[in-house]
Amino acid sequence: MNQLLPVFIKLENKKVLVVGGGNVALEKLQHLKDTGCALTVISKEFKSETIRLLSSVKDAKIETREVQVSDLDGFDLVYSATNDRQTNRELVEYAKQKKIWINCADDPSLCDFYSSAYFDRGPIRVAVSTQGGFAGLAGTIRTILEEILPKDHDQELENLLEIRNLSKRKLGDPEERKTALKFLLSEFKQKYLSTDTK
């Protein structure tokens, strides 16, 4: 089996289609709502929670109707999240013909990409994936990592990033810069991540 390439995709102004209005679609939309994508959602019916979430997404388009495969034309990314396996298969087949990346919620083997369990700590985003195999396991590992990383030190992490950028401008010698940053990271680890209770 070929290895997956983990990446973070910039979706600002990209055209994204979510097909479905139930729980699975709602989960996908929670990840998409703050990406700045041009979002369209098509479904025969919507959960009230889905409508409520979409009302907070600027310029989101909501279409209450059956999806047609031709609806995928012009989109950069598609999530097929209906509860109809046959519809999902037809959308996948069409997307692959048109070379549109698609995530098929009920069959990981048909996905071009997978969602991940993730969390943020200041400028850091940590993502965990089981390649669509076991979302619950990914969520559990995310929870463990959330407990390991400090929860209340976002500003300190932001400061480290700013110091790193400043060091690139001020310290011309890469080795000197590396030594300085290693020292800062060591200090951060000792102060916030140390389990020493003395």
Side-chain angles (χ1 to χ4, degrees):
M1 179 179 177
N2 293 331
Q3 291 293 317
L4 298 184
L5 176 68
V7 296
F8 290 93
I9 303 173
K10 291 182 178 180
L11 288 182
E12 186 176 5
N13 298 322
K14 297 291 186 184
K15 296 183 67 178
V16 177
L17 172 65
V18 175
V19 183
N23 288 328
V24 177
L26 180 60
E27 179 187 355
K28 307 300 183 186
L29 290 167
Q30 287 169 342
H31 295 312
L32 290 167
K33 65 184 178 66
D34 297 320
T35 63
C37 69
L39 182 62
T40 299
V41 186
I42 300 174
S43 183
K44 290 186 290 186
E45 53 187 345
F46 291 87
K47 286 176 63 77
S48 59
E49 295 92 331
T50 305
I51 293 294
R52 188 159 50 250
L53 182 146
L54 288 170
S55 69
S56 69
V57 180
K58 183 181 178 183
D59 298 328
K61 297 178 182 176
I62 304 171
E63 300 184 22
T64 308
R65 60 177 176 82
E66 286 193 18
V67 67
Q68 306 295 322
V69 292
S70 59
D71 289 322
L72 276 60
D73 290 341
F75 282 94
D76 299 299
L77 212 63
V78 175
Y79 289 83
S80 182
T82 78
N83 58 6
D84 183 330
R85 292 178 67 85
Q86 182 59 34
T87 296
N88 289 338
R89 298 302 174 281
E90 291 173 0
L91 294 176
V92 166
E93 183 178 339
Y94 188 82
K96 292 188 182 298
Q97 289 174 4
K98 295 289 185 173
K99 302 197 182 317
I100 301 167
W101 283 27
I102 188 166
N103 175 282
C104 181
D106 68 354
D107 191 341
S109 70
L110 300 177
C111 293
D112 292 311
F113 64 96
Y114 300 109
S115 299
S116 62
Y118 66 87
F119 67 96
D120 297 312
R121 287 290 183 268
I124 299 170
R125 170 159 287 187
V126 179
V128 180
S129 173
T130 56
Q131 302 181 31
F134 193 170
L137 176 60
T140 298
I141 294 172
R142 176 199 61 200
T143 301
I144 293 169
L145 292 173
E146 282 182 299
E147 292 174 358
I148 292 172
L149 290 172
K151 295 181 178 180
D152 303 316
H153 302 290
D154 285 6
Q155 188 57 56
E156 285 86 347
L157 289 167
E158 293 281 1
N159 290 344
L160 282 174
L161 188 63
E162 178 58 30
I163 288 169
R164 190 257 183 187
N165 292 334
L166 185 61
S167 74
K168 288 181 73 174
R169 296 195 298 270
K170 298 290 186 180
L171 301 178
D173 181 3
E175 287 303 315
E176 183 182 1
R177 185 166 66 239
K178 183 190 289 186
T179 299
L181 292 175
K182 279 185 176 180
F183 172 78
L184 286 172
L185 290 173
S186 176
E187 289 287 302
F188 182 84
K189 179 180 178 182
Q190 182 64 32
K191 184 174 181 180
Y192 298 114
L193 303 180
S194 176
T195 57
D196 188 356
T197 56
K198 292 180 180 179

